Amino acid sequence: MKSPRSISVAVLAASACATASLSFVPDGLSQPNKAGNGTVPPDLQVIDDVLEALQVMQESYFQPWLGTWPTSIDWTAAVMGSHISGALQSLSQLLASLRSSEPRDYQVKENLVATYFTQLVGYYFGQDAFAIRNEAFDDILWVVLGWLDTIQFIDLHTALHYQAGGSQTGIASNQQIPRMLVNQSWHGNLWMSAFAHRARIFWELANKGWDEKLCGGGMTWNPRLEPYKNAITNELFISASIAMYLYFPGDDNASPFADDTTAGMENETPTTTGWKPHDSRYLDAAMRTYAWLKRSGYNNPLSNNTRCDVPNGMLYTYNQGVILSGQLGLFKVTGNTSYLFDGHRLIQDVIAATGYDIKTNRPVDDISSLPPGRIPYWHGLGRAGILEDVCDVRGDCSQDSHTFKGIYFHHLTAFCAPLELVSDLAPAIEERAFRQVKEAHTQACKTYVGWIRHNAMAALLTRDAEGKFGMWWTVGLLNLTMDTLDIQEGDLGPEDPTAVDYRNGDVPDDPRWGNPGKALIPPNNGLREEGGQKPLIKRSNVDWDPNNRGRGRTVETQGGGLAVLRALWEISRHGRS
């Protein structure tokens, strides 16, 4: 079994591509297992579950008059925006396939899309953009990704429903209607410039985090915590930069903050001509950061170390996901299959680290043989084939960690989308070779569907009577309650002396992380709420649900449920044979 540390660095290993025998599928599994690996048409019940998860998320947590999810924090709200945009992309493609000439059908379709899109528009105004400008660079980059996800949805929905060759509008062709109505594009395009402007401003703010004086390069996590550089900020910069190169439509708005955000930037575009799409700066930033990340080995500098050779061995699920959309984007514009190899290797290592074998399409441990109340062995990123963060069992997950698994599945969905090159940007690739790469990518993604379904079904079993998802999905799979749960020493996995769980607890006040007596990061609000948290302590006779511990069910855990269901729908749909 791979050690937890090997999972974190798996993405760093590039693979050479031999075209004659190209395959991203693991050795010993030449064809996907037919038992649930996408070789049958996807179950329409899954899209019903996706839409229900979306409805509960918005009706329970979103407040239109505030334009946000009030219980979220700045960065998790940006992620919720990405989840909404992703769900809308899936919905738009589904509606395009359900063709009808009945005007009433069109009204129902458009109303459903407009309901959630208008909430995204409301969030544009509800997002506290001024506050996020002063936060850490990773917080800033979630904003970039969020609005680029929305831009991708607008482009897709317009192409499918409002352009020549798109799906029908529901108006019969023999009806006499004004030309003005026929020539109208989708109203969502009115907001494209606003979303693009915010994405561009925030990317330029984040670009200030790139530093070559310390550690030979890389993104600083927080301008007030130099020289600390972590994996997530660099992964975000890769994915956000390549997404800017691919999807940013341009921006001719020179305000606000044009002077301070572009000051000192190399090759900056003059504000008099605007910022153009496909600017090489974005591609250069993505490739430069990816190269640095691979060299670094995901090592994080501590204290006064400027060489980046003292690691923090802590693993989080979202660290394994954000890089995936960046890898796909880099392949799209370079045609370099090493990015795909890196991505598939990382996905397969993550699946193995949950205790799931994609060759047999089942967990490696015999769950049926577990004594009552016991939980399976911890494999590094989960147990019983279910993705977990280390805080799940303890029940002390912070608001940050509540968001992590949803982020993983959102970017896994992006990575396993049907493969394509951007013809105007990518180098010429021989058609036969590209077909082989595309088929190898599709076949590999098919092998993941069984594991995704396993996680989605477990997540569904954590829903309460209101349809809200819990954080610890394994509980749903094992049907455990606080009455039966039997946590014993060693169930949390081996202790890693280099691991500091700064996302759920405090940064240690010791010389390795800073000067003694000087607090580097305030206590996490997820652990310091009134009354504290009592992991695995039953509070009352009716409090039987382990997912009611700590923060309980939140908008972030709902986003996680939505994301894993959407991953199941999209990847099984694309993987049909």
Side-chain angles (χ1 to χ4, degrees), residues 235-317:
E235 292 180 35
L236 281 164
F237 194 54
I238 292 166
S239 293
S241 295
I242 196 62
M244 284 290 289
Y245 184 69
L246 285 167
Y247 308 117
F248 174 62
D251 180 20
D252 59 4
N253 184 352
S255 64
F257 319 123
D259 291 337
D260 66 340
T261 59
T262 60
M265 292 180 61
E266 295 181 4
N267 304 318
E268 65 179 80
T269 306
T271 58
T272 54
T273 60
W275 287 261
K276 304 299 183 183
H278 312 310
D279 191 315
S280 62
R281 288 183 303 160
Y282 305 132
L283 177 59
D284 291 345
M287 297 184 70
R288 178 181 69 239
T289 310
Y290 195 86
W292 178 85
L293 189 62
K294 292 185 69 169
R295 293 195 308 270
S296 75
Y298 274 9
N299 293 337
N300 299 325
L302 308 177
S303 188
N304 293 321
N305 188 314
T306 61
R307 299 184 303 276
C308 292
D309 58 359
V310 179
N312 174 13
M314 190 66 205
L315 296 178
Y316 299 109
T317 56

Side-chain angles (χ1 to χ4, degrees), residues 521-533:
I521 302 177
N524 193 300
N525 66 349
L527 300 178
R528 298 296 182 267
E529 296 172 328
E530 185 177 354
Q533 295 185 21

Side-chain angles (χ1 to χ4, degrees), residues 507-553:
V507 170
D509 188 10
D510 62 35
R512 297 177 71 241
W513 286 80
N515 296 325
K518 180 182 179 182
L520 297 181
I521 302 177
N524 193 300
N525 66 349
L527 300 178
R528 298 296 182 267
E529 296 172 328
E530 185 177 354
Q533 295 185 21
K534 304 288 187 182
L536 307 176
I537 299 298
K538 184 176 175 182
R539 291 197 292 256
S540 71
N541 290 333
V542 296
D543 189 14
W544 55 268
D545 187 347
N547 274 304
N548 284 342
R549 296 172 299 151
R551 301 186 64 85
R553 289 171 169 80

